[in-house]
Amino acid sequence: MSWENAPGKNAEGYRDPTASAALANVQRSQRGLQSKRAGEQFENMIAASLEWYRDKGWARVEKTPEPMRPLRPPNRQGQFLACYTKAGQPDFKGTLSGGRSVIFEAKHTDSDRIEYGRLTQEQIESLTEHHRLGAAAFIMVSFGLVDFYRVPWEVWRDMKQIYGRKHIKQPELEPYRVQYIAGVIKLLEGIELTYGETEADNEEM
């Protein structure tokens, strides 16, 4: 019997999955694609909100570009093939009115919890160092693109000690909820906008 006719294998000689396994693979792929699109939409919502803060003159916070290495020269249209050279930095960085820096990562989920393991080691190290130096560091979390929470870095960092596990359930994030009004996620509300000495302090010296 040739391998083409071997039981459980297709014409190319690869093992065919069962119907249930094939369906599970398709569903897993669809969920992954939906999650990726939702994450991109969340980042777009954040970018639009940050543009609102910029227009008000209250902050300038931008998306962190991912470091890439070209794999071949650009074509006539200026397009080129590239790959990421290392794990990404936190998603957004910038400065608040008064001089304080801000840095945060954005994470979306369609489940009822958010996992600590969603961050890379490089993101953890970067957020830790910026927080130590006085930056406003946090994780912006979206649940279903409906509910939004600004989780302080020290809370995310100490998740295991605070909650006894490496995930946080949505109801536990209620103290960190931020409003979404007229197309703007108020993700910078309540953060101290001045840092260090104020102009009034300098005038008195």
Side-chain angles (χ1 to χ4, degrees), residues 46-63 92-104 136 138 150 184-194:
I46 290 175
S49 301
L50 293 173
E51 191 65 25
W52 180 83
Y53 279 100
R54 180 180 175 182
D55 289 344
K56 296 286 186 180
W58 294 341
R60 170 113 185 213
V61 184
E62 299 172 319
K63 182 79 169 68
F92 295 89
K93 297 177 183 177
T95 306
L96 306 179
S97 173
R100 189 179 187 186
S101 63
V102 61
I103 180 171
F104 65 93
F138 53 90
R150 185 182 69 217
V184 176
I185 303 174
K186 299 300 183 69
L187 71 165
L188 298 181
E189 299 302 302
I191 297 178
E192 184 183 2
L193 295 182
T194 58

Side-chain angles (χ1 to χ4, degrees), residues 43-199:
E43 288 192 359
N44 290 337
M45 293 170 71
I46 290 175
S49 301
L50 293 173
E51 191 65 25
W52 180 83
Y53 279 100
R54 180 180 175 182
D55 289 344
K56 296 286 186 180
W58 294 341
R60 170 113 185 213
V61 184
E62 299 172 319
K63 182 79 169 68
T64 306
E66 296 284 358
M68 294 188 298
R69 177 172 61 86
L71 298 178
R72 63 180 63 166
N75 59 23
R76 293 180 179 178
Q77 288 75 40
Q79 301 168 327
F80 61 91
L81 183 65
C83 67
Y84 293 121
T85 58
K86 60 179 179 178
Q89 290 282 320
D91 287 325
F92 295 89
K93 297 177 183 177
T95 306
L96 306 179
S97 173
R100 189 179 187 186
S101 63
V102 61
I103 180 171
F104 65 93
E105 175 70 9
K107 292 299 179 187
H108 168 82
T109 182
D110 288 314
S111 72
D112 64 346
R113 64 188 63 189
I114 188 72
E115 305 281 347
Y116 178 87
R118 295 284 301 276
L119 269 63
T120 67
Q121 185 59 36
E122 183 172 13
Q123 290 167 340
I124 290 171
E125 292 173 359
S126 181
L127 287 161
T128 298
E129 184 68 4
H130 281 278
H131 175 263
R132 185 186 69 81
L133 293 170
F138 53 90
I139 309 297
M140 273 302 303
V141 180
S142 157
F143 280 83
L145 298 176
V146 175
D147 299 301
F148 306 100
Y149 306 89
R150 185 182 69 217
V151 185
W153 175 240
E154 57 270 30
V155 173
W156 184 281
R157 179 195 62 200
D158 300 335
M159 186 186 297
K160 184 68 165 61
Q161 289 74 21
I162 296 172
Y163 301 99
R165 42 184 150 74
K166 287 196 171 183
H167 69 263
I168 309 177
K169 297 180 180 179
Q170 184 174 0
E172 296 169 328
L173 290 176
E174 198 58 35
Y176 312 115
R177 178 185 289 275
V178 296
Q179 294 182 312
Y180 180 55
I181 302 174
V184 176
I185 303 174
K186 299 300 183 69
L187 71 165
L188 298 181
E189 299 302 302
I191 297 178
E192 184 183 2
L193 295 182
T194 58
Y195 185 62
E197 296 179 344
T198 64
E199 292 182 2

Side-chain angles (χ1 to χ4, degrees), residues 3 8-16:
W3 60 263
K9 293 189 176 181
N10 57 27
E12 287 76 31
Y14 296 105
R15 182 173 296 278
D16 275 334

